[in-house]
């Protein structure tokens, strides 16, 4: 079952009573098992999110025609009110799929993967700790996440279907949807979100405490791998930005179930009828509380990705990261500033000019540290003897994709240009460049990079490269046209893909070319889905038949996670760890090997003069 | 199943600890009385007319903050905590202030809403 | 339940009991403060919402003195008292006096229960408090006497309101009110719902009550949670005192920090909801 490398540890471990299956894999308190639980669940949700969008893309590209294969299946699952017999999905179901696509992707796929899976698996290993500080809290955190996921999934099958007011759930829209049914999809959404928020809060407390308290001897802050810094800042974002959304969720739940009016204004008329509510609430309050979380949340989505990419780049360029310190200060600055830019999502809500200018300014300022990090990573490539393997390909793909995503954010941050671009496909393209070819590529890089540590076997390089090449091409074919559609004025969240607003005789609207892009985008989406097949097969096939690793450190890396047995046992390290150097001491002149692990003691002789490596 | 064999752990209690705790306990009682007095004071202050209602609000908030300071400072030992905790709490205070004032500023501007305090 | 791992395995998490030299803190202490930081943001957002609801309300419609000041004050004192017993119990434990710790902490738990009792009484009082709009244009405001009421007529103790402003500024003291009977047929019919216009003071009544119920409800959940944790350490987990007293003292300290935070929130809730 295990490679024979550490026969002694296993012999020693085997006289402990072996925990049963449930203890070991389901109710485990081991951070690595929990990380893998997060990983598998998150990947499944990632796939589900993609499936929902594939169905929606059919509807957009071919309005009014039934979805082949899946349509009839959905008809049987969800009933006639949601899908016609021929498989045409209803506008309500389209909205529900859209809202759930966003919710699932952000809260059930990317955050759990980037933070829950990689954070859990890698962070304690990288800081030389035996586990998280609160292993049982860690388990509960996963269970909350799981519960949240179940609630979200279950909501598809209740009367009225899942929440259908966008992942932003703006009130009053979210509160008046399915008003005659209570509890409805929105109720499930709110309670599910509360579970997910609690999960993240517990996780954040655990991560921060772990990084503060359990760093190995000698692992000072400036010797911390950048990945750990990224997780540290991410945890703070979750810790302090999520509670206001939790408050907002409680308030919306009150509106939903107890007929209060926190977010409902006086005199609200729905379908020509005055609502019987007390009124006096403020729809804008929801937006403020939501975006107070959701802007930091976008950094929660991207920072762990930057951390993974940094590790992979350092390892495969075989040289120290350029500007490690400035990257650390930048990521701290991002963390700080991300709390005071949120209202750039609300320029069109009629704020005053001065406050809008304030948010425009902070938005521009926060792009500086992001650019610093990206630049440092690009410069790190300079002069390296780069190893091109699958993790590195994904990391290299990340850089320009994140660059495109970030730079296209600037026109959204200026309130003058945002008036034109707000709520169009341009916004969709912008943030997808950051999360999809950005974060998701970083996640893939991480999976290919740490898979050998977790399983003792390598993923296939050949199929990994195929996976990368196809994903890279189709990602761009999916999202690049959306910039064009958005600049032409195509709005997001439209059931018919904008056909209503098409040019018609003398009425100028969206041109056939712009509408026609829907079709090519949809084809690219389905192709992108197919491109994941090599990955899925590779992932499972390699568990049993992948190439075995021949050492605990197959990538010849410097950070501590590679100093453990493979796969790491419960408690992680079988030796005392003392860190004596910085995280990325690659190609140190005068050393016999081109990497020096963080815990490798200095040779007795003095280090040669002119050593370029900072410590 | 049980704790490792090194678990004959004991609590170290010496003269110094006892002296210190006695001192603490006296202080807790004084703070407790001060809090009770503060509570009476807020109620009293809320029932008198200072001429303008805004003053009532400010007075009530000042008393509440003072009481909050006593609880946090003495019961939660914040007056003598470690640097790390101060760092965490100052970040929190900063972001909280941001949430509070930026939200109010965004919504109180240009007559989107008029401010009524009464 | 406990924040500290007791995993039956060969591995031990460092600094679970003893402080880490460079931070001077043991793990759970860092953890609880981080958690409290997030709680500050949670209640902070609610206070922020409160202010917005309040400044949003049309001139003169924000209620004053709808809650019983004396009950609120009693509850404030009860919570403060329980905070004192928490710190006294911790200090006793530090001196090794387990019995005194148990004594003080049992008072804490009783205080928590008293607080919840008073709070439920206040909730109940709001749920039987009705505003009734009559067909003749008058407004009645008072407490339903359900025992004396039938389906066709209701008995209240309350008063008729002359000017609507009076609804929002009821007199602080009022004399014992005689029972008043109102026939269902005298109650005005709401044009949108076609129901009699008789609504109790639940969260749906207006934004003040909405925020009152939300904030105090969430606070009460915290009281319940704190009470359960303190009780668990006091009773079922008391054996840890023999096995590992230092860890036990830490647990008491950490649960105490949570409890003081709950007290702290109430110190702000009381003036904001009852007095201003
Ligand atoms: C680099 C600097 C960035 C700037 C200047 C920026 C700016 C903006 C602005 C102003 C909007 C609102 C556009 C509108 O609704 O009209 C927006 C939307 C969005 N951004 Fe960014 N952004 C940046 C980075 C990021 C990052 C790192 C992410 C991470 C995933 C991200 C994800 C999103 C998302 C999800 C939305 C959509 C919000 C919605 O549904 O309305 N952005 N961005
Ligand atoms: Cu933003």
């Amino acid at each position: 079952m295990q490679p024979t490398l550490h026969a002694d540890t296993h012999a020693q471990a085997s006289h402990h009573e072996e925990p049963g299956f449930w203890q070991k894999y389901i109710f485990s308190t081991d951070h690595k098992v929990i990380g893998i639980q997060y990983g598998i669940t998150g990947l499944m949700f990632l796939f589900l999110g993609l499936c929902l969008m594939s169905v929606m893309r059919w509807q957009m590209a071919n309005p009014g025609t039934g979805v082949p294969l899946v349509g009839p299946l959905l008809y049987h699952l969800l009933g006639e009110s949601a899908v016609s017999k021929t498989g045409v999905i209803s506008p309500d179901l389209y909205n529900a799929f859209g809202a759930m696509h966003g919710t699932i992707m952000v809260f059930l796929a990317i955050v759990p993967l980037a933070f829950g899976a990689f954070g859990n698996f890698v962070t304690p290993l990288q800081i030389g700790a035996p586990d998280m500080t609160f292993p049982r809290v860690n388990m509960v955190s996963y269970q909350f996440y799981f519960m949240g996921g179940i609630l979200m999934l279950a909501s598809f099958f209740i009367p009225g279907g899942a929440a259908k007011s966008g992942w932003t759930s703006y009130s009053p829209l979210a509160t008046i949807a399915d008003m005659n049914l209570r509890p409805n999809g929105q109720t499930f959404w709110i309670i599910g979100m509360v579970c997910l928020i609690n999960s993240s809060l517990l996780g954040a407390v655990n991560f921060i405490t772990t990084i503060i308290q359990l760093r190995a001897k000698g692992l000072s802050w400036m010797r911390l791998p950048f990945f750990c810094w990224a997780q540290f800042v991410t945890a703070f974002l979750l810790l302090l930005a999520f509670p206001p959304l939790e408050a907002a969720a409680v308030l919306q739940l009150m509106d939903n179930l107890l007929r209060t009016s926190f977010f409902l204004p006086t005199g609200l008329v729905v379908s020509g009828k005055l609502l019987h509510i007390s009124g006096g609430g403020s729809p804008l309050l929801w937006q403020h509380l939501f975006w107070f979380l959701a802007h930091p949340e976008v950094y929660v989505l991207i920072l762990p990705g930057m951390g993974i990419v940094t590790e992979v780049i350092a390892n495969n360029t075989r040289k120290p990261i350029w500007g490690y310190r400035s990257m650390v200060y930048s990521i701290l600055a991002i963390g700080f500033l991300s709390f005071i830019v949120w209202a750039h999502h609300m320029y069109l809500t009629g704020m005053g000019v001065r406050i809008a200018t304030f948010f425009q300014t902070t938005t521009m300022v926060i792009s500086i540290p992001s650019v610093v990090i990206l630049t440092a990573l690009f410069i790190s490539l300079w002069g390296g003897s780069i190893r091109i393997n699958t993790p590195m390909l994904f990391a290299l793909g990340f850089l320009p994709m994140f660059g495109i995503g970030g730079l296209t954010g600037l026109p959204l941050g200026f309130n003058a240009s945002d008036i034109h671009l707000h709520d169009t496909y341009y916004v969709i393209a912008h943030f997808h460049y950051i999360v999809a070819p950005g974060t998701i590529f970083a996640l893939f890089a991480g999976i290919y990079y740490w898979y050998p540590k977790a399983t003792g076997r390598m993923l296939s390089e050949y199929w990994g490269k195929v996976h990368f090449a196809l994903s890279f091409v189709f990602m761009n074919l999916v999202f690049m046209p959306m910039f064009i559609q958005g600049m032409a004025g195509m709005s997001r969240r439209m059931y018919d893909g904008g056909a209503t607003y098409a040019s018609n005789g003398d009425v100028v609207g969206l041109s056939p070319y712009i509408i026609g892009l829907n079709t090519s985008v949809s084809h690219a989406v389905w192709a992108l889905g197919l491109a994941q097949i090599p990955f899925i097969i590779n992932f499972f096939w390699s568990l049993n038949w992948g190439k075995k690793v021949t050492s605990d450190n197959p990538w010849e890396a410097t950070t501590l996670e590679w100093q453990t047995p493979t796969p790491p046992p419960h408690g992680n390290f079988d030796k005392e760890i003392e860190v004596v150097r910085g995280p990325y001491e690659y190609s140190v002149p005068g050393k016999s090997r081109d990497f020096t692990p963080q815990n490798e003691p200095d040779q007795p002789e003095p280090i040669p003069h002119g050593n370029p490596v900072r410590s | 199943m049980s704790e490792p064999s090194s678990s004959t752990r004991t609590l170290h209690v010496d003269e110094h600890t006892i002296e210190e705790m006695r001192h603490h306990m006296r202080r807790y009682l004084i703070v407790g009385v001060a809090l009770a007095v503060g509570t009476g004071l807020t109620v009293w202050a809320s029932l008198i007319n200072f001429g303008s209602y805004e003053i009532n609000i400010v007075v009530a908030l000042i008393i509440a903050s003072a009481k909050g300071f006593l609880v946090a400072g003495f019961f939660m030992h914040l007056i003598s905590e470690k640097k790390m905790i101060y760092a965490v709490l100052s970040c929190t205070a900063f972001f909280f202030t941001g949430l509070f004032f930026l939200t109010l500023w965004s919504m109180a501007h240009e007559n989107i809403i008029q401010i009524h305090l009464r | 339940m406990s924040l500290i791992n007791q995993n039956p395995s060969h591995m031990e998490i460092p600094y679970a009991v003893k402080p880490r030299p460079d931070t001077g803190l043991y793990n759970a202490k860092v953890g609880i403060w981080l958690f409290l930081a997030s709680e500050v943001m949670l209640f902070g957002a609610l206070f922020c919402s409160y202010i917005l609801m309040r400044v949003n309300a049309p001139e003169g419609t924000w209620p004053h003195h709808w809650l019983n000041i004396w009950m609120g004050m009693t509850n404030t004192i009860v919570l403060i008292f329980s905070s004192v017993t928490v710190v006294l119990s911790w200090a006793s434990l530090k001196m090794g006096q387990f019995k005194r710790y148990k004594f003080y902490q049992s008072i804490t738990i009783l205080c928590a229960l008293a607080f919840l009792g008073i709070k439920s009484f206040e909730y109940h009082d709001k749920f039987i408090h009705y505003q009734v709009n009559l067909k003749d244009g008058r407004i009645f405001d008072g407490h339903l006497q359900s025992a004396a009421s039938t389906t066709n007529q209701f008995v209240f103790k309350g008063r008729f309101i002359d000017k609507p402003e009076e609804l929002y500024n009821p007199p602080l003291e009022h004399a014992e009110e005689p029972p008043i009977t109102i026939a269902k047929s005298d109650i005005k019919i709401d044009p949108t719902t076609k129901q009699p216009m008789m609504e109790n003071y639940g969260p749906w009544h207006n934004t003040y009550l909405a925020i009152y119920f939300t904030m105090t409800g969430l606070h009460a959940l915290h009281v319940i949670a704190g009470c359960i944790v303190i009780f668990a350490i006091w009773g079922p987990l008391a054996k840890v005192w023999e096995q590992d007293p230092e860890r036990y003292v830490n647990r008491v300290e950490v649960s105490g920090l949570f409890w003081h935070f709950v007290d702290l929130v109430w110190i702000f809730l009381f003036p904001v909801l009852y007095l201003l």
Side-chain angles (χ1 to χ4, degrees):
Chain A
M1 168 183 132
Q2 317 272 18
T4 51
L5 297 169
H6 285 270
D8 46 354
T9 25
H10 295 305
Q12 186 215 336
S14 62
H15 72 232
H16 286 273
E17 211 173 305
E18 269 293 303
F21 172 83
W22 288 91
Q23 263 261 301
K24 203 163 159 194
Y25 297 109
I26 308 294
F27 294 105
S28 173
T29 54
D30 183 340
H31 71 99
K32 299 178 293 296
V33 178
I34 295 175
I36 291 169
Q37 287 173 337
Y38 265 115
I40 307 270
T41 327
L43 282 172
M44 287 194 310
F45 274 114
L46 193 68
F47 189 69
L48 177 64
L50 183 76
C51 293
L52 293 179
M53 191 40 78
S54 306
V55 173
M56 292 170 70
R57 287 304 317 187
W58 175 274
Q59 166 60 33
M60 289 179 72
N62 314 287
T65 50
V67 189
L69 302 175
V70 189
L73 185 72
L74 287 174
Y75 166 77
H76 288 295
L77 273 177
L78 302 175
E80 186 138 32
S81 58
V83 186
S84 83
K85 224 181 193 115
T86 49
V88 184
I89 62 174
S90 68
D92 266 357
L93 189 66
Y94 178 87
N95 284 343
F97 273 22
M100 296 312 281
H101 163 80
T103 308
I104 286 176
M105 284 305 202
V106 173
F107 297 110
L108 284 159
I110 304 288
V111 176
L113 284 169
F115 184 68
F118 284 106
N120 254 313
F121 190 90
V122 179
T123 312
L125 296 177
Q126 268 193 347
I127 62 172
D131 205 315
M132 288 281 186
T133 37
F134 310 121
R136 258 193 278 165
V137 174
N138 207 11
M139 175 182 79
V140 174
S141 157
Y142 174 76
Q143 287 164 350
F144 265 120
Y145 160 62
F146 193 78
M147 244 149 45
I150 296 289
L151 280 172
M152 294 286 184
L153 288 181
S155 72
F156 280 105
F157 302 100
I158 63 170
K164 40 183 80 65
S165 310
W167 78 288
T168 50
S169 280
Y170 277 9
S171 265
L173 187 64
T175 309
I176 62 177
D178 292 329
M179 264 203 119
N180 45 339
L181 301 165
R182 293 278 154 83
N184 53 27
Q186 191 62 29
T187 325
F188 273 62
W189 186 89
I190 299 170
I191 299 176
M193 280 306 295
V194 169
C195 289
L196 297 176
I197 294 172
N198 289 343
S199 157
S200 288
L201 291 179
L202 294 180
V205 168
N206 217 342
F207 275 65
I208 300 173
T209 316
T210 304
I211 295 178
I212 291 178
Q213 292 285 98
L214 300 191
R215 274 169 295 125
K217 196 160 164 231
L219 187 55
S220 59
W221 287 102
M222 279 302 156
R223 284 175 177 172
L224 207 56
F226 189 69
F227 176 83
C228 292
W229 272 111
Q231 293 290 343
F232 187 68
V233 174
T234 304
F236 262 106
L237 298 182
L238 288 171
L239 183 78
L240 299 178
F242 249 140
L245 184 68
E246 183 152 27
V250 169
L251 299 182
Q252 204 184 63
L253 191 65
M254 296 286 285
D255 281 4
N256 190 298
L257 289 180
L258 293 181
R259 296 183 287 115
T260 58
S261 299
F262 286 112
F263 304 126
L264 305 178
T266 308
L268 186 62
V269 174
V270 177
S271 328
K273 267 177 65 184
L274 190 66
L275 276 195
H276 180 66
I277 49 167
S278 71
S282 161
L284 279 187
L285 177 61
W286 168 266
Q287 297 193 21
H288 278 291
L289 295 178
F290 181 85
W291 286 113
F292 184 82
L293 158 85
H295 188 83
E297 177 77 11
V298 304
Y299 286 96
V300 170
L301 300 176
I302 193 69
L303 297 185
M306 289 176 171
I308 295 171
V309 166
T310 307
E311 298 301 309
V312 172
I313 286 187
N315 178 258
N316 289 300
T317 53
R318 315 305 293 166
K319 63 196 265 297
I321 285 295
W322 189 90
Y324 166 79
R325 264 171 193 273
S326 27
M327 283 177 70
V328 169
Y329 294 135
S330 297
I331 204 167
L332 290 172
I334 289 180
F336 227 74
L337 288 168
S338 67
F339 281 93
I340 49 171
V341 300
W342 79 87
H344 63 211
H345 297 270
M346 300 169 59
Y347 286 144
L348 268 73
T349 58
M351 302 183 257
V353 174
R354 260 173 277 165
I355 179 79
T357 311
F358 172 87
F359 281 112
Q360 168 174 301
T361 312
T362 51
T363 305
M364 291 307 123
V365 173
I366 200 175
S367 62
I368 297 171
S370 314
V371 171
V372 169
I373 293 180
L374 190 62
T375 312
L377 289 176
F378 267 120
I379 297 180
S380 297
L381 302 176
W382 190 269
S385 50
I386 300 179
R387 294 177 174 175
I388 298 289
N389 46 32
T390 312
M392 187 59 173
L393 281 174
F394 275 106
L396 289 176
F398 169 92
L399 298 178
M401 297 296 102
F402 173 69
I404 294 176
L407 291 177
T408 52
L410 298 179
L412 296 171
F414 288 112
N415 45 69
S417 40
D418 187 51
I419 291 175
H420 178 64
L421 297 171
H422 179 71
D423 256 353
T424 65
Y425 260 83
Y426 182 92
V427 176
I428 305 285
H430 149 69
F431 71 78
H432 279 93
Y433 258 96
I434 288 175
V435 243
T439 304
I440 293 182
F441 275 13
L443 295 176
F444 280 134
I447 292 173
Y448 284 96
Y449 184 62
W450 279 300
Y451 190 91
K453 182 44 70 183
T455 63
R457 291 176 190 268
M458 312 286 282
L459 284 165
S460 152
E461 272 294 303
Y462 176 79
W463 289 108
K465 284 176 180 156
V466 170
H467 176 212
F468 168 75
L470 294 177
S471 298
F472 189 83
V473 170
F474 291 124
M475 280 281 189
N476 283 286
L477 288 179
V478 170
F479 294 115
M480 194 57 87
M482 293 186 186
F483 282 122
I484 302 167
Q485 291 183 313
M487 284 187 282
M490 191 169 129
S491 291
R492 53 196 287 208
R493 296 179 179 165
M494 282 192 300
Y495 175 55
D496 60 0
T500 318
Y501 299 97
S503 297
N504 185 359
D506 293 340
V507 186
V508 180
L510 299 170
S511 71
Y513 166 65
I514 295 295
I515 303 260
L517 285 176
N518 278 338
T519 312
S520 70
V521 167
S522 296
H523 286 134
V525 169
W526 303 323
L528 180 64
L530 295 180
Q532 304 314 304
I533 291 176
F535 169 70
I536 296 171
I537 294 177
N538 193 356
F539 189 90
F540 289 107
W541 188 82
S542 303
L543 277 179
N544 286 317
W545 296 287
K547 199 174 88 203
K548 273 196 180 165
V549 292
T550 49
S551 97
D552 284 335
N553 190 355
W555 306 109
E556 304 182 303
T558 52
T559 41
L560 293 180
E561 76 269 33
W562 304 102
Q563 298 299 315
T564 62
T566 309
H570 197 184
N572 295 343
F573 293 90
D574 54 2
K575 57 188 174 203
E576 201 57 40
I577 293 285
E578 183 172 352
V579 172
V580 292
R581 61 189 76 250
Y584 305 117
E585 302 218 346
Y586 286 102
S587 307
V588 179
K591 295 271 183 188
S592 54
R593 298 181 301 178
D594 73 345
F595 67 102
T596 321
Q598 280 195 278
N599 60 338
E600 187 173 284
D602 270 324
Q603 256 72 60
E605 72 262 343
I607 300 165
H609 196 66
N611 179 0
V613 179
R614 87 204 90 228
S615 57
Chain B
M1 269 276 98
S2 63
E3 292 282 315
S5 54
S6 65
S7 74
T8 38
R9 291 154 166 158
T10 50
L11 189 68
H12 180 70
V13 186
D14 58 13
E15 271 310 301
H16 176 72
T17 326
I18 295 198
E19 197 44 48
E20 199 190 328
M21 285 303 132
R22 291 245 160 82
H23 177 73
H24 268 165
M25 286 170 108
R26 266 194 302 280
R27 196 152 78 178
Y28 295 149
L29 289 174
I30 296 171
V31 172
V33 171
L35 286 169
V37 171
T39 308
L41 205 63
T42 353
V43 175
W44 174 75
S46 79
L47 297 179
I48 50 176
N49 188 347
F50 286 106
S52 141
Y53 200 71
E54 279 75 4
I55 300 183
N56 278 71
I57 293 181
V58 171
V59 169
L61 290 182
I62 288 176
I63 299 176
S65 308
K67 287 167 69 186
F69 173 78
L70 289 179
V71 171
F74 294 99
F75 287 172
M76 302 170 91
H77 304 127
L78 259 195
I79 48 165
S80 56
E81 242 330 328
K82 299 290 180 293
K83 266 217 307 281
M84 186 63 75
I85 306 243
Y86 288 141
V88 169
L89 292 181
S90 15
C91 285
T92 313
F94 176 79
F95 298 141
F96 172 64
T97 318
L99 171 67
F100 211 77
F101 287 103
L102 292 176
T103 304
L104 288 178
W105 185 13
S106 319
M107 296 180 72
H109 213 259
E110 319 245 312
N111 291 337
I112 292 180
I113 50 172
Q114 285 106 34
I115 298 224
H116 318 274
L117 278 175
R118 274 184 176 260
Chain C
M1 161 91 353
S2 74
L3 292 172
I4 297 153
N5 177 47
Q6 289 179 314
N7 213 349
S9 85
H10 44 291
M11 131 205 123
E12 260 201 82
I13 309 245
Y15 314 118
V17 178
K18 294 261 183 251
R20 179 181 162 112
D22 59 352
T23 59
L25 298 160
Y26 58 91
N27 296 342
K29 184 100 166 244
V30 180
I32 189 74
W33 273 110
L34 290 167
F35 181 70
L36 291 183
S38 83
E39 293 275 63
V40 168
M41 297 304 285
L42 177 71
F43 281 100
L46 288 175
F47 275 105
C48 194
S49 312
Y50 163 85
I51 293 189
L52 271 164
M53 294 296 125
R54 184 166 176 162
V55 298
N56 249 340
E59 186 88 48
T61 62
W62 190 258
H64 293 276
H65 301 304
W66 273 15
L67 303 171
N68 186 323
I69 293 182
W70 309 113
M71 288 205 191
M73 185 168 153
T74 314
N75 253 352
T76 314
I77 303 278
V78 166
L79 271 195
I80 289 172
F81 189 71
S82 73
S83 263
V84 175
T85 56
V86 164
V87 274
L88 291 182
S89 77
W90 170 76
S92 313
L93 206 54
K94 271 277 213 199
M95 297 191 284
Q97 301 166 341
F98 188 67
K99 285 234 172 69
R100 268 177 70 183
Y101 148 78
K102 277 220 137 181
F103 169 72
Y104 283 130
Q105 210 66 319
S106 52
I107 300 185
T108 309
I109 295 168
L110 291 180
C111 282
L113 296 178
F115 178 90
L116 291 172
I118 295 179
K119 198 78 231 142
S120 4
F121 181 82
E122 289 183 83
Y123 274 17
H124 176 72
D125 188 67
K126 285 287 150 252
F127 281 112
I128 60 165
H129 188 170
Y130 281 82
Q131 174 187 330
V132 187
N133 291 37
L134 298 177
K135 283 191 173 143
D136 59 12
R138 287 185 303 166
I139 299 176
F140 181 82
D141 184 52
H143 288 83
L144 182 69
Q145 313 292 309
S146 46
S149 306
T150 63
T151 38
N152 291 325
Q153 60 178 29
F154 305 106
V155 180
F156 291 98
K157 280 188 177 171
R159 66 208 165 100
F160 285 99
I161 305 294
D162 304 323
K163 290 173 284 171
E165 300 92 86
E166 268 182 43
L167 265 182
Y168 301 107
N169 288 295
L172 268 179
E173 311 284 346
H174 32 117
E176 178 64 25
E177 288 145 336
I180 290 175
T181 307
I182 294 176
K184 195 174 178 187
S185 53
D186 286 340
I187 303 175
K188 196 165 148 188
I189 301 295
D190 187 305
T192 53
T193 61
K194 312 282 186 268
Q195 295 292 320
M197 290 179 74
M198 171 173 147
E199 189 176 69
N200 63 356
Y201 278 38
W204 40 80
H205 192 63
N206 67 7
T207 44
Y208 167 78
L209 286 167
I211 198 95
Y212 160 71
F213 276 106
T214 312
M215 292 183 90
T216 54
L218 207 62
H219 177 264
L221 283 183
H222 280 74
V223 173
I224 293 171
C227 187
I228 291 176
V229 170
I230 289 176
F231 174 77
I233 297 172
W234 182 86
L237 294 173
K239 55 184 181 300
V240 178
W241 169 252
E242 266 106 56
Q243 295 157 359
D244 193 350
E246 225 172 321
R247 182 179 290 235
Y248 194 72
V249 176
N250 287 350
R251 285 185 183 177
V252 171
E253 184 181 12
V254 165
S255 61
L257 282 171
F258 181 75
W259 190 256
H260 299 311
F261 178 78
V262 174
D263 185 16
L264 192 65
V265 171
W266 183 260
I267 283 178
F268 284 91
L269 281 179
F270 171 57
V272 160
L273 295 173
Y274 287 74
L275 301 177
L276 293 178

